[in-house]
Amino acid sequence: MELSFVLPVCNEQDSLRQLYDEIVEYTSHERYEMIFIDDGSVDGGFDVLSELAQQDSRVKVVRFRSNFGKAAALQTGFRYASGDIIISMDTDLQDNPAEIPNLLAKLDEGWDLVSGWKKKRRDPLGKRLPSKLFNGITSLVTGLKLHDFNCGFKAYRREVVEELDIYGELYRYIPALAHRRGFRVTEMAVEHRPRTHGRSKYGMERLLHGFFDLLTVQLLTRYNHSPLYLFGRLGLLSGGAGFLVSLYLSIMKYAYGMPLSNRPLLFLGMLLIMVGVQLFSIGLIGELVVNLGRRRRGRTEVSIRQFVGLNSLEPRRITGSAES
Ligand code: UDP
Ligand code: MG
């Protein structure tokens, strides 16, 4: 298979036929597939998809029993996709299939992931502003400068999706996660259309979740292998400050005879030491968890770009995909 489309669907029944027609119109590949993931739609969307699948064997449908979210839908689509190249798209017609050839051409320039950029975004202001903030902070924190991390329209080389493990709301950070694993990530302006059918599934709460997820991304990509480096450092900071406070109070008491009974500072010192010990313990537990997981998987988490002069792999020790 040359190309797979991964298409998450949640209550988009009125858009699906047009989307199908447009994808067919703008895809020039010989062999491709469209994998629709019906994420617990409660409209007639699944029936439309079944009909399409009956008429066209390139259409495949995975139907969830309930709504598991866009990340789960994408991840499932990635698992079933068999193409060398994968394109993900929203199914509400906001992403324009006319851009498919452009994304593919960009990928051909040697990128592993081309992420769409909704340069002229056709959404209400209440959505565009928080999104600007989100993208700015994410660029700053992750070190990958993109205007639009969360665009549903993306083209991937197969190796990228094989290594992704998206859950919760982590789909917003796909470019950052891929970048951290060493993939070549870029973005490209794509046309964005206003929503004509159905309703948006996302409101303001996404902002708060977004920032929690940013912490998760940092933890997963920066401190995945050594949680003690992060928590140990914080623990030392807190515990050290607490120690200094207590030292000061002790000196005041024993050298100068000042009683401790009316020193609120004492509580601060104790608190800092206790928090420090707790942070440190979290780090140690984190190390245990990482170690356990690694032993269970029996491998080292690396991302291999290619091999030279090596053709027999010991698959239990090293896994990962590579360009041939
Ligand atoms: N979607 C999904 N599961 C969900 C929510 C959304 O599969 O729980 C799909 C939805 O059908 C659409 C895409 O994810 O194809 C983006 O959703 P939406 O258009 O509501 O987001 P917005 O464009 O408003 O950010
Ligand atoms: Mg949309």
Side-chain angles (χ1 to χ4, degrees):
M1 192 69 67
E2 297 174 275
L3 177 61
S4 302
F5 290 93
V6 168
L7 307 156
V9 182
C10 183
N11 299 336
E12 313 283 6
Q13 64 168 344
D14 297 324
S15 305
L16 295 171
R17 260 176 213 291
Q18 189 186 337
L19 178 72
Y20 166 83
D21 289 339
E22 290 184 347
I23 290 179
V24 170
E25 183 183 346
Y26 289 104
T27 307
S28 52
H29 283 68
E30 194 63 29
R31 284 157 48 74
Y32 66 94
E33 62 183 357
M34 292 178 223
I35 302 180
F36 288 91
I37 301 90
D38 180 7
D39 183 15
S41 294
V42 289
D43 59 357
F46 178 73
D47 302 325
V48 178
L49 293 176
S50 310
E51 258 172 55
L52 287 173
Q54 250 157 31
Q55 293 156 9
D56 185 342
S57 63
R58 293 173 299 191
V59 174
K60 296 154 191 184
V61 186
V62 182
R63 185 187 196 183
F64 286 174
R65 272 188 227 284
S66 172
N67 178 256
F68 287 96
K70 189 175 174 184
L74 285 174
Q75 184 65 21
T76 304
F78 292 157
R79 284 292 157 267
Y80 286 99
S82 55
D84 295 327
I85 291 172
I86 285 96
I87 291 184
S88 66
M89 274 179 90
D90 285 357
T91 50
D92 54 0
L93 295 172
Q94 291 200 267
D95 297 329
N96 187 349
E99 299 277 5
I100 291 169
N102 305 334
L103 279 180
L104 291 173
K106 188 81 183 173
L107 201 69
D108 254 355
E109 286 174 13
W111 300 96
D112 296 314
L113 166 55
V114 180
S115 186
W117 167 21
K118 305 176 290 262
K119 197 168 179 179
K120 273 221 177 70
R121 187 165 177 189
R122 307 300 204 89
D123 278 322
L125 192 70
K127 207 160 182 170
R128 293 198 318 262
L129 279 186
S131 158
K132 271 225 161 67
L133 185 70
F134 164 84
N135 284 305
I137 294 179
T138 306
S139 284
L140 211 69
V141 173
T142 64
L144 175 67
K145 298 269 170 291
L146 293 189
H147 293 90
D148 189 359
F149 282 82
N150 184 21
C151 183
F153 207 0
K154 290 183 169 66
Y156 312 76
R157 249 170 242 293
R158 166 157 208 89
E159 299 86 63
V160 181
V161 306
E162 275 181 0
E163 291 191 17
L164 285 176
D165 184 13
I166 304 300
Y167 59 90
E169 293 183 19
L170 285 186
Y171 63 87
R172 293 200 198 113
Y173 294 96
I174 287 177
L177 291 166
H179 169 72
R180 283 280 168 79
R181 292 189 69 75
F183 288 109
R184 292 158 291 199
V185 180
T186 189
E187 71 180 348
M188 199 190 97
V190 292
E191 193 201 331
H192 191 239
R193 303 186 288 197
R195 200 184 237 284
T196 42
H197 309 285
R199 287 195 300 137
S200 169
K201 314 306 173 291
Y202 298 102
M204 285 299 280
E205 80 286 352
R206 68 201 270 157
L207 201 62
L208 188 64
H209 291 180
F211 290 119
F212 290 152
D213 286 338
L214 190 57
L215 281 177
T216 308
V217 168
Q218 284 299 97
L219 195 70
L220 286 181
T221 58
R222 280 266 151 93
Y223 299 102
N224 191 11
H225 304 295
S226 44
L228 192 56
Y229 287 179
L230 175 65
F231 291 103
R233 207 176 284 173
L234 293 174
L236 274 184
L237 215 68
S238 173
F243 175 76
L244 289 180
V245 169
S246 309
L247 188 69
Y248 163 76
L249 289 175
S250 303
I251 292 173
M252 293 314 267
K253 175 167 167 59
Y254 292 110
Y256 300 98
M258 280 176 67
L260 284 177
S261 50
N262 61 345
R263 300 303 305 261
L265 203 56
L266 183 63
F267 289 103
L268 182 66
M270 280 162 54
L271 195 71
L272 284 172
I273 289 175
M274 278 180 341
V275 167
V277 169
Q278 284 193 331
L279 283 168
F280 209 86
S281 314
I282 290 174
L284 282 175
I285 292 175
E287 290 289 329
L288 284 178
V289 172
V290 167
N291 194 275
L292 209 71
R294 179 168 297 158
R295 248 187 294 172
R296 200 168 287 163
R297 285 194 305 273
R299 62 176 181 178
T300 314
E301 273 297 330
V302 293
S303 183
I304 298 167
R305 182 182 288 189
Q306 65 193 112
F307 297 104
V308 176
L310 183 76
N311 38 30
S312 70
L313 284 181
E314 224 259 84
R316 277 185 48 76
R317 306 260 317 267
I318 290 184
T319 61
S321 52
E323 293 164 13
S324 46

